[in-house]
């Protein structure tokens, strides 16, 4: 029996309150410890869901974060394979790195929030607030991440600046991957909901200065946590 199959045979039920985080951490530690060696093909999502007693979307979110760290790679039609037992020192989300997003977002999304407060239509404002409500109610991590990316795109669109909207739309997949990683490694969903609501309320009030400040604070939190993740000794040593 191979190491991967032997590991799979051990049931590891997960507390659903932090299911994706727990699945991610268990898989990461199995790779780091060598129980899942480099080159190993991970079991299918269905089998992993059975091992942990969670849904497939929970497993999928954990696998996405492992790939974001550069530890695994999913090959269409072949499965997910272990690439390395040490996360990449430079986080990458598809076409953009963590550094790319950290450096660029304040120059795009902060002014976009300010202009949205001045230019948004009633319909656009309604959509932004509905997205806040949906994120507050959503517990599925994958669905929440999609709502999060919609929220940021909606603000860029409400800015009335087509370039801001285009840039955010282009980075949308990378932003989603970063959001998923933050939720799993730093339990950011609830805090993000609060920050998103503050941004939305400032836009609704028509205060460009407050909207800019709220978005700047939100992105500042993201930068702080992503920087900590990249420097975390448990990840890079």
């Amino acid at each position: 029996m191979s190491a991967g199959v032997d590991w799979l045979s051990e049931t590891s039920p997960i507390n659903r309150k932090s299911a994706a985080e727990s699945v991610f951490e268990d898989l990461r530690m199995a790779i780091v410890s060598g129980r899942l060696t480099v080159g190993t093909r991970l079991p299918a999502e269905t089998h992993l869901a059975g091992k942990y007693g969670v849904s497939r979307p929970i497993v999928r979110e954990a696998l996405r974060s492992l790939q974001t760290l550069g530890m695994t790679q999913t090959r269409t039609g072949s499965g997910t394979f272990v690439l390395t037992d040490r996360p990449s020192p430079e986080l990458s989300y598809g076409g953009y790195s963590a550094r790319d997003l950290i450096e660029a977002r304040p120059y795009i999304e902060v002014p976009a929030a300010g202009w949205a407060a001045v230019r948004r239509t009633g319909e656009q404002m309604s959509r932004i607030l509905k997205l806040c409500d949906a994120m507050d109610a959503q517990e599925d991590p994958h669905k929440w991440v999609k709502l999060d990316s919609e929220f940021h795109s909606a603000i860029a669109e409400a800015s009335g600046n087509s370039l801001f909207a285009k840039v955010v739309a282009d980075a949308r997949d990378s932003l989603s991957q970063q959001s998923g990683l933050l939720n799993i490694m730093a339990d950011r969903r609830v805090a993000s909901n609060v920050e998103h609501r503050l941004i939305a309320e400032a836009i609704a009030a028509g205060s460009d200065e407050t909207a800019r400040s709220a978005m700047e604070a939100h992105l500042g939190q993201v930068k702080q946590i992503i920087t900590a993740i990249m420097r975390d000794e448990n990840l890079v040593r």
Side-chain angles (χ1 to χ4, degrees), residues 171-184:
R172 187 163 173 171
D173 185 59
S174 296
L175 292 173
S176 292
Q177 290 183 49
Q178 178 174 268
S179 181
L181 183 68
L182 283 171
N183 287 345
I184 280 184

Side-chain angles (χ1 to χ4, degrees), residues 20 23 27 45-46 48-49 54-67 74 140-142 184:
V23 171
L27 287 170
E45 288 180 5
T46 303
L48 289 174
V54 299
S55 65
R56 288 179 65 185
I58 292 292
V59 170
R60 193 172 303 125
E61 195 66 24
L63 292 177
R64 278 167 56 94
S65 291
L66 283 172
Q67 183 160 306
T74 298
D140 181 289
H142 184 61
I184 280 184

Side-chain angles (χ1 to χ4, degrees), residues 112-170:
W115 285 117
V118 176
R119 297 171 175 166
R120 53 82 179 169
T121 65
E123 183 178 348
Q124 289 171 332
M125 191 67 250
S126 177
R127 183 186 175 210
I128 291 170
L129 291 172
K130 285 180 179 178
L131 285 169
C132 284
D133 293 339
M135 283 185 282
D136 284 341
Q138 185 57 253
E139 295 185 0
D140 181 289
H142 184 61
K143 291 179 180 178
W144 187 92
V145 163
K146 291 180 66 176
L147 291 169
D148 178 39
S149 66
E150 287 181 36
F151 175 80
H152 285 276
S153 292
I155 290 175
E157 290 169 9
S159 75
N161 185 304
S162 59
L163 185 57
F164 286 157
K166 180 176 175 57
V167 172
V168 173
D170 183 68

Side-chain angles (χ1 to χ4, degrees), residues 18-81:
S18 56
E21 180 182 359
S22 298
V23 171
F24 163 79
E25 188 59 25
D26 191 69
L27 287 170
R28 187 176 73 83
M29 290 308 300
I31 294 171
V32 170
S33 68
R35 299 187 70 195
L36 289 175
T37 58
V38 173
T40 297
R41 184 176 70 176
L42 296 181
E45 288 180 5
T46 303
H47 292 162
L48 289 174
K51 169 183 171 62
Y52 293 113
V54 299
S55 65
R56 288 179 65 185
I58 292 292
V59 170
R60 193 172 303 125
E61 195 66 24
L63 292 177
R64 278 167 56 94
S65 291
L66 283 172
Q67 183 160 306
T68 298
L69 288 178
M71 298 182 75
T72 63
Q73 181 182 60
T74 298
R75 303 168 190 166
T76 303
S78 299
T80 298
F81 295 82

